[in-house]
Amino acid sequence: MAPMGRRRAPALLFTIALSVLLFVTASSAASAVIGIDLGTEYIKAVIVKPGIPLKIVLTKDSKRKESAAVAFKTPQGGSLPERVYGSEAVVLGARFPDDVYPNLKPLLGVPFKDSGIANEYSGRHPALSMIASGNRGTVAFKSKALGEDAEPLVIEELLAMELQNVMANAGAAAGKGTHAWDAIITVPPFYTTEEKRAVELAADLAGLRVLGLISDGLAVGLNYATTRTFPSISDGGKPEIHLVYDMGAGSTKATILRFQGRVVKDVGKFNKTIQEVDVLGTGWDRTLGGDALNAVLVDHLLDEFVKIPKVKKLGLAEGSQGLRAQDVVKRNGRVAAKLWKEAERVRQVLSANSETMASIESLFEDIDFRLKITRTEFEGLTSPYAKRLSGPIERALESARLKIADIGSIILHGGAVRTPFVQKQLEGVVGDADKVRGNVNRDEAAAFGAAFKAAGLVPNFRVKEIRTGEEASYAVSAHWASDDEKDRIQILFIPTSKTGVEKQIPFKKLGDFSFTLHQSLPKDEQPGESGFRDVPILAVQTQNLTQSVSFLQENSGCASSDIKTEFSIRLSLKDGQPEIIHGSVSCEVEVLAEKKGVVDDVKGFFGFGSRKGDQEPLASGSDGDPSGSTEQASSATTSSSAETPSSSHGATADEKPTAMSKKTERIYLKFTASVEGMPEPTQSQLEQVKERLAALDKSDRDRRLREEARNNVEAFMYKYRDLLDDGSFVEAGQETELDMLRAQIQLTDEWLNGSGADADLAALETRLRELNALVAPIDTRLRETSKRPAQIQLLKGALEQTKTLIEAMKAGIESQEAASSSSSVSSASSAETTRDASIDNDFAELEDEATSSDASTTSTSSAKTQTSDVPPPFPKESIARLEAFYESIEKWLADKVKAQETRKINQDPAVQVREIEDKLKELTKFLMDELQGPLPEPSSSSSTPKAKAKTSKPKAKKAKSTKSKTSKPARSSKPKSAEKATPLPVGDFGDLGEDDIPVINLGDDGQIEYTKEHVSGGEKPTAKHDEL
């Protein structure tokens, strides 16, 4: 058995523990998911990771939401520009309005030409250079910071930068090593297919894997349901109906949701109750939001500003080609940025106060502007928008076919709902102020709902089971040309159709053809307008229909009238967009039914029948194969079977009718699906955007490292400039060292403000290393002076303990030797007494077994008592080595301390702290090695054989009472030499020879060991058994 302190954990256990650790670490690094609430003015994110359940992602300045803006700082020296995000970018808008891009969300998927949204955005940000993006025709911007020759920035690229910033903040919240991201992103319910594609493209450019898109209202409802349990309809409960009213910066949405519980089948024979959140209807106003209210304030501020006498004297309207003075002022980018920023602040203040003061310094031509605005005045200005607040609710009720009385409550969400007149208007619509509730976080509920949805889609997390149902929002139809060249249209999905539902669309086509899926969109999103326009979103072209039909006709005997062509289409659960599941061509044919035996009938009854009658897929490339080398597999399924009589010409009446069955021959079609409508970026365009994003990332990272290095150099100068006036630091330095340090600090200061102002990272790091080399000797002396006394005391204390241990070990040896001498005398006296008693007692063998056992126990206890109080001795050689090692370290320490006493504080130390620590480690290791080494084996003259001799009498009695005296021949007494004991299986002594004796030992771990001992001659000792 290994001595204490030297036992090692099994290698297998260590391997398993390491494997589990690596698995947990790897899964943790890859299992982080985020929910992103992609708003017009702000972006909020929530992270979910093992150990971090639903945590809001903070910005770099510790805010809970990030302004949806990115800005470029003009570079110096021809390098790439620096990017800034969030509130820092918004602040730059007043100084550099031509390279600050805020509130980009409304421009996603919007064409540049003939777009009211693009024109409105350009009017609000006149300093930006907005153009069309090449062949796609979407909105793009020319950046002065990137240069005139640079490709324009598309909206998806700018949004990708903002998402990368969110990912960086989330990575800081999750901790080091987390780099893999899956995300659910919120989108408005009115987003078209093109707008959703733009969001997914931006996420892909940012490096996000989109698990799905979720509508804003459903995300809020999902967050509402996470802490609630609703009545189960399986138990007769009534669902709850609530309306989420979400008014943000860019738009207003109303979503009617149904909350209910349901009992469903669980694993095995068990059932479980789940929660369900389904969208029943939606309504929206694309242009009603906080920005629209801000625009009213901006116009009001401009109207009052141009009335100032100083402004009138400028004659702004003169020579401006019919423009008003307000328009001339507004076209200035800096003025527009200041006005929009102040209008946002005024609106927020009026939400909580009855009046406030608008104040802008140097608004235009160094003219300051101040204006008092009351809440009543603001509500009067925005009264036309107040009338539009009920529109989304009315359209949502109409879509859901419900009345306002059916709504249990209105759940408010979005920053603009804090405007007082908005809540008053909603209370008037619902007719009960108590139904208008703020029972969710108005800023973060959508982000938390999206994160909860993401966690439920990843197997690494176990969350409350809440099933959701999304709506299509827009109708989807299929368009194709019939054989007579007439246009055919079939409605596939209506606006209230649920996602995930699959539909089969039949086509009367026997040759390759194409069809297009269209989305029905309103002609104008403004209230009061009607009419729809069909926008193509997906084109499908079959590739092997003609060949497949020929194959069915020639090989299966299918008639043209019996051949069916159909496609399966559904609304994707991921993003609600229509997707093609598969297409097939098929026909029913009659075939001979296979005769089945009794066993087959029984198998068929229980559902275990074979399907050998089904047609096998055709081998790729075989003759007559309609699909050739396509990826679509051909298969056949049995649709029905029946026994029908049949006869051939010349058949006799005695012949039995032949059993026939109907079988569906089906071949899956190969087809292509291409994006219609707004063109997707080409592969070269995507690569170009990704390369620019990577270059900007590297430039920002290098710039950040350079700034950190410059800050470190400046911090060094400030620190040691102060230390040069500190007495202790000067005392530890030599005169030449101090003079050199002063000179280098002065030179470095001049270098940073001169030629080194634009120094790169390598130059700054080199300069910092040179400065650190100058102060390293002084810092070392100070550190050694402060730490040396404590380390010396530690080593002295360890030496004192070692000395005490050596003395105790020596005393133990002396005690052991004295005990051994006393035990020898006692054993001799006991043996003589035992021999006399054996001669005198002729009836010893008649003693009962209990008496013998008691005597044995008493003798054994006596033997143990004599030896247990004496500690086992350490070898004298070990004590000698330990004493020599102790003396060597004691002498070394004394010499070093004496040498150090002669040194001054500004001289290099005679002994370093590290050397003292090493000596302390050497002493500790030497002690452990000696104390944990194997103990010496007891010699033949030790007290153990004597204890055996003392306890031999009871065993001799027991042997006499159980065995015949003549069972073994007497042996002459000879000196014996016992061989080393051989361990045997527990409870088994093995095959005992004539010269073997059984031995029972009690191990250190409490386990009984059965062994045998071979004796070369003489009488066998019997005391071994009493050791147990």
Side-chain angles (χ1 to χ4, degrees):
M1 184 175 179
M4 293 296 293
R6 288 198 172 187
R7 297 176 182 175
R8 298 291 183 264
L12 179 60
L13 181 60
F14 175 79
T15 304
I16 294 175
L18 180 60
S19 301
V20 172
L21 178 61
L22 291 175
F23 173 79
V24 171
T25 303
S27 62
S28 299
S31 63
V33 296
I34 50 178
I36 300 176
D37 180 14
L38 187 61
T40 301
E41 186 177 8
Y42 294 100
I43 299 178
K44 283 84 68 176
V46 172
I47 184 174
V48 183
K49 181 188 175 184
I52 306 179
L54 295 174
K55 177 182 178 182
I56 194 73
V57 175
L58 300 179
T59 65
K60 291 181 175 62
D61 47 0
S62 300
K63 294 181 179 179
R64 298 178 70 87
K65 56 184 178 180
E66 185 80 279
S67 296
V70 57
F72 295 88
K73 288 184 177 180
T74 303
Q76 297 179 358
S79 61
L80 290 173
E82 177 186 359
R83 295 175 299 177
V84 293
Y85 302 94
S87 57
E88 186 179 356
V90 174
V91 170
L92 290 176
R95 298 173 55 196
F96 311 104
D98 53 351
D99 256 324
V100 178
Y101 306 92
N103 300 14
L104 296 170
K105 180 181 175 182
L107 298 177
L108 288 169
V110 172
F112 173 77
K113 187 178 180 181
D114 299 330
S115 173
I117 296 177
N119 294 334
E120 184 178 4
Y121 187 90
S122 179
R124 293 179 179 179
H125 307 281
L128 296 177
S129 177
M130 182 183 294
I131 62 173
S133 62
N135 64 324
R136 298 185 64 205
T138 57
V139 177
F141 297 96
K142 287 292 292 185
S143 171
K144 294 182 180 179
L146 290 174
E148 293 295 332
D149 298 333
E151 290 293 324
L153 293 163
V154 296
I155 300 300
E156 294 86 350
E157 183 178 2
L158 291 169
L159 182 58
M161 297 178 189
E162 296 181 16
L163 292 176
Q164 285 179 333
N165 179 56
V166 172
M167 293 171 61
N169 294 337
K176 188 177 181 181
T178 303
H179 54 81
W181 295 105
D182 295 332
I184 291 284
I185 303 177
T186 66
V187 294
F190 56 75
Y191 256 24
T192 65
T193 294
E194 292 177 347
E195 290 169 313
K196 291 179 179 179
R197 287 172 180 169
V199 172
E200 293 174 336
L201 175 58
D204 179 67
L205 293 174
L208 277 172
R209 187 170 75 95
V210 179
L211 295 175
L213 303 179
I214 185 173
S215 64
D216 297 321
L218 181 57
V220 174
L222 190 56
N223 176 247
Y224 178 82
T226 54
T227 57
R228 293 169 174 83
T229 301
F230 304 100
S232 174
I233 60 174
S234 302
D235 301 330
K238 183 179 180 181
E240 296 183 13
I241 308 296
H242 301 282
L243 185 145
V244 175
Y245 193 86
D246 184 7
M247 186 176 183
S251 60
T252 300
K253 293 86 63 179
T255 305
I256 298 177
L257 301 173
R258 179 179 61 203
F259 301 86
Q260 63 187 20
R262 184 190 298 272
V263 178
V264 297
K265 187 71 174 177
D266 200 2
V267 179
K269 299 181 180 180
F270 300 97
N271 295 330
K272 62 180 178 180
T273 301
I274 64 169
Q275 305 299 306
E276 294 180 338
V277 183
D278 292 316
V279 177
L280 299 182
T282 56
W284 57 79
D285 189 331
R286 273 181 175 262
T287 59
L288 177 61
D291 281 351
L293 304 181
N294 293 342
V296 173
L297 283 173
V298 168
D299 292 340
H300 177 65
L301 294 176
L302 279 172
D303 291 342
E304 296 300 322
F305 177 71
V306 297
K307 295 178 182 179
I308 298 176
K310 290 184 179 180
V311 179
K312 289 182 178 181
K313 292 180 181 180
L314 296 175
L316 299 176
E318 299 176 2
S320 57
Q321 299 178 354
L323 294 177
R324 299 181 308 159
Q326 294 93 322
D327 297 331
V328 175
V329 174
K330 193 177 180 180
R331 290 174 64 178
N332 186 297
R334 289 187 175 87
V335 172
K338 292 178 180 179
L339 285 171
W340 278 96
K341 182 179 179 182
E342 184 63 13
E344 172 73 13
R345 188 194 68 82
V346 168
R347 182 176 62 85
Q348 292 179 356
V349 172
L350 290 178
S351 298
N353 299 275
S354 59
E355 63 180 35
T356 186
M357 184 67 70
S359 177
I360 307 175
E361 294 183 2
S362 186
L363 175 59
F364 184 76
E365 296 294 338
D366 294 330
I367 300 175
D368 298 338
F369 176 61
R370 289 175 61 85
L371 179 67
K372 181 180 179 181
I373 303 177
T374 64
R375 180 187 293 178
T376 303
E377 185 178 6
F378 171 65
E379 292 179 353
L381 293 170
T382 57
S383 58
Y385 293 95
K387 298 177 182 179
R388 293 167 54 182
L389 292 173
S390 61
I393 298 178
E394 294 171 357
R395 286 186 282 274
L397 291 172
E398 181 182 357
S399 174
R401 299 182 180 180
L402 295 174
K403 298 179 180 180
I404 192 65
D406 299 325
I407 304 301
S409 69
I410 294 181
I411 302 172
L412 299 179
H413 187 262
V417 297
R418 295 185 175 91
T419 307
F421 77 83
V422 173
Q423 298 189 28
K424 290 181 181 179
Q425 190 74 14
L426 294 178
E427 291 172 2
V429 171
V430 76
D432 186 356
D434 293 336
K435 284 190 174 183
V436 180
R437 301 174 184 175
N439 43 14
V440 297
N441 189 312
R442 299 179 184 181
D443 291 323
E444 302 171 359
F448 275 96
F452 185 89
K453 179 73 172 179
L457 295 177
V458 177
N460 302 68
F461 304 98
R462 184 177 180 181
V463 298
K464 178 181 179 181
E465 187 170 358
I466 303 177
R467 299 180 182 178
T468 59
E470 194 78 84
E471 278 191 350
S473 296
Y474 297 108
V476 177
S477 58
H479 295 233
W480 73 95
S482 61
D483 293 339
D484 54 2
E485 300 301 327
K486 292 183 178 180
D487 293 335
R488 300 292 302 274
I489 300 176
Q490 181 174 345
I491 302 296
L492 305 180
F493 304 100
I494 61 176
T496 55
S497 296
K498 300 298 181 183
T499 58
V501 177
E502 184 176 333
K503 285 193 174 183
Q504 306 287 338
I505 299 97
F507 294 91
K508 294 182 179 181
K509 291 286 187 178
L510 300 180
D512 287 315
F513 74 107
S514 63
F515 66 93
T516 308
L517 298 183
H518 290 244
Q519 200 170 40
S520 298
L521 305 179
K523 290 183 179 179
D524 197 333
E525 290 289 348
Q526 296 299 328
E529 299 290 339
S530 61
F532 292 86
R533 55 191 174 94
D534 286 342
V535 177
I537 57 177
L538 194 68
V540 181
Q541 174 67 54
T542 63
Q543 293 184 326
N544 65 332
L545 176 59
T546 304
Q547 190 177 5
S548 300
V549 170
S550 299
F551 180 84
L552 292 176
Q553 292 173 338
E554 296 173 2
N555 293 272
S556 301
C558 297
S560 298
S561 59
D562 296 332
I563 297 177
K564 298 179 181 179
T565 302
E566 60 183 7
F567 275 82
S568 295
I569 305 175
R570 71 179 177 189
L571 296 175
S572 171
L573 288 170
K574 177 183 177 182
D575 52 17
Q577 300 184 44
E579 58 181 359
I580 310 298
I581 305 303
H582 58 77
S584 65
V585 58
S586 62
C587 72
E588 285 189 351
V589 296
E590 288 189 348
V591 296
L592 291 174
E594 294 184 359
K595 185 177 180 180
K596 298 181 180 180
V598 177
V599 176
D600 291 330
D601 292 337
V602 174
K603 287 183 178 180
F605 178 79
F606 287 103
F608 299 108
S610 64
R611 301 177 61 86
K612 294 181 180 178
D614 294 349
Q615 178 181 316
E616 298 293 335
L618 295 173
S620 177
S622 61
D623 295 338
D625 183 4
S627 58
S629 58
T630 65
E631 297 178 359
Q632 299 291 335
S634 61
S635 65
T637 57
T638 302
S639 59
S640 63
S641 61
E643 293 186 358
T644 58
S646 64
S647 62
S648 60
H649 182 70
T652 64
D654 295 337
E655 292 179 349
K656 295 183 179 180
T658 304
M660 304 293 292
S661 65
K662 288 186 177 181
K663 182 179 181 180
T664 299
E665 298 286 352
R666 186 183 304 274
I667 299 176
Y668 287 101
L669 299 176
K670 183 179 180 181
F671 60 89
T672 60
S674 57
V675 173
E676 286 288 303
M678 187 175 294
E680 288 187 321
T682 63
Q683 188 63 31
S684 61
Q685 289 174 333
L686 287 176
E687 292 177 357
Q688 185 178 11
V689 171
K690 290 181 179 180
E691 288 175 0
R692 181 159 62 184
L693 286 173
L696 288 170
D697 289 340
K698 182 179 183 303
S699 176
D700 289 343
R701 183 171 56 255
D702 293 344
R703 184 179 293 103
R704 184 174 60 253
L705 294 175
R706 177 189 173 277
E707 290 175 354
E708 291 176 358
R710 183 183 176 90
N711 291 338
N712 291 336
V713 173
E714 292 176 346
F716 179 94
M717 293 191 304
Y718 296 145
K719 175 183 177 181
Y720 285 96
R721 195 174 277 162
D722 293 339
L723 286 176
L724 285 172
D725 297 330
D726 182 80
S728 59
F729 182 81
V730 173
E731 185 181 1
Q734 299 176 5
E735 192 64 29
T736 56
E737 294 173 338
L738 298 174
D739 292 341
M740 180 66 72
L741 179 59
R742 291 189 185 95
Q744 285 299 320
I745 289 177
Q746 181 64 29
L747 291 174
T748 301
D749 190 12
E750 296 173 357
W751 177 73
L752 285 178
N753 296 319
S755 61
D758 298 327
D760 58 11
L761 176 63
L764 291 168
E765 290 179 342
T766 301
R767 181 58 62 102
L768 185 59
R769 283 195 298 270
E770 293 173 353
L771 292 173
N772 282 324
L774 290 176
V775 299
I778 305 176
D779 286 342
T780 300
R781 296 183 198 118
L782 287 173
R783 185 173 57 253
E784 292 288 329
T785 302
S786 63
K787 293 184 177 181
R788 189 187 304 111
Q791 290 297 322
I792 290 175
Q793 290 302 320
L794 283 177
L795 184 55
K796 286 183 177 181
L799 288 172
E800 289 293 332
Q801 294 177 3
T802 304
K803 182 179 180 181
T804 302
L805 178 62
I806 293 173
E807 294 175 352
M809 293 167 67
K810 290 181 178 180
I813 291 178
E814 295 176 358
S815 300
Q816 183 68 29
E817 291 176 349
S820 298
S821 177
S822 174
S823 177
S824 298
V825 175
S826 175
S827 298
S829 175
S830 177
E832 184 65 25
T833 303
T834 302
R835 185 165 55 253
D836 294 341
S838 178
I839 297 174
D840 294 339
N841 190 355
D842 294 334
F843 300 97
E845 67 274 16
L846 299 180
E847 295 181 22
D848 57 16
E849 185 175 354
T851 303
S852 176
S853 177
D854 293 342
S856 175
T857 303
T858 303
S859 300
T860 304
S861 301
S862 176
K864 288 186 176 181
T865 302
Q866 294 180 12
T867 60
S868 62
D869 293 338
V870 181
F874 286 91
K876 294 182 179 181
E877 296 81 1
S878 178
I879 297 175
R881 288 194 301 270
L882 183 57
E883 192 169 17
F885 192 78
Y886 159 79
E887 291 174 353
S888 65
I889 293 183
E890 184 182 39
K891 183 179 183 303
W892 176 88
L893 180 60
D895 294 342
K896 292 296 184 180
V897 170
K898 184 177 180 180
Q900 182 61 40
E901 292 175 351
T902 63
R903 301 290 178 94
K904 295 181 180 180
I905 190 174
N906 63 352
Q907 294 179 331
D908 293 337
V911 58
Q912 295 184 357
V913 172
R914 177 178 52 80
E915 296 179 88
I916 302 175
E917 292 174 347
D918 291 343
K919 287 296 180 182
L920 184 59
K921 292 178 182 178
E922 291 177 16
L923 178 59
T924 303
K925 183 178 183 304
F926 191 86
L927 282 171
M928 294 299 293
D929 291 343
E930 291 295 333
L931 294 179
Q932 293 182 359
L935 296 177
E937 295 290 339
S939 62
S940 58
S941 59
S942 64
S943 59
T944 303
K946 297 181 181 298
K948 290 180 182 179
K950 181 175 181 180
T951 59
S952 62
K953 178 181 177 181
K955 287 297 179 179
K957 290 182 179 180
K958 186 173 181 180
K960 290 179 181 179
S961 62
T962 57
K963 292 185 180 182
S964 172
K965 293 182 181 181
T966 60
S967 61
K968 295 271 185 187
R971 296 193 181 98
S972 59
S973 297
K974 294 181 181 179
K976 62 181 180 179
S977 58
E979 297 176 357
K980 188 174 181 180
T982 303
L984 298 172
V986 175
D988 183 15
F989 293 102
D991 297 327
L992 296 176
E994 183 176 352
D995 294 331
D996 295 332
I997 60 172
V999 180
I1000 302 177
N1001 291 324
L1002 181 63
D1004 295 343
D1005 56 357
Q1007 298 295 325
I1008 300 175
E1009 298 177 355
Y1010 295 80
T1011 62
K1012 64 180 179 179
E1013 193 168 289
H1014 181 73
V1015 182
S1016 59
E1019 185 179 356
K1020 299 179 183 178
T1022 59
K1024 277 282 185 181
H1025 295 275
D1026 292 324
E1027 289 186 356
L1028 180 59

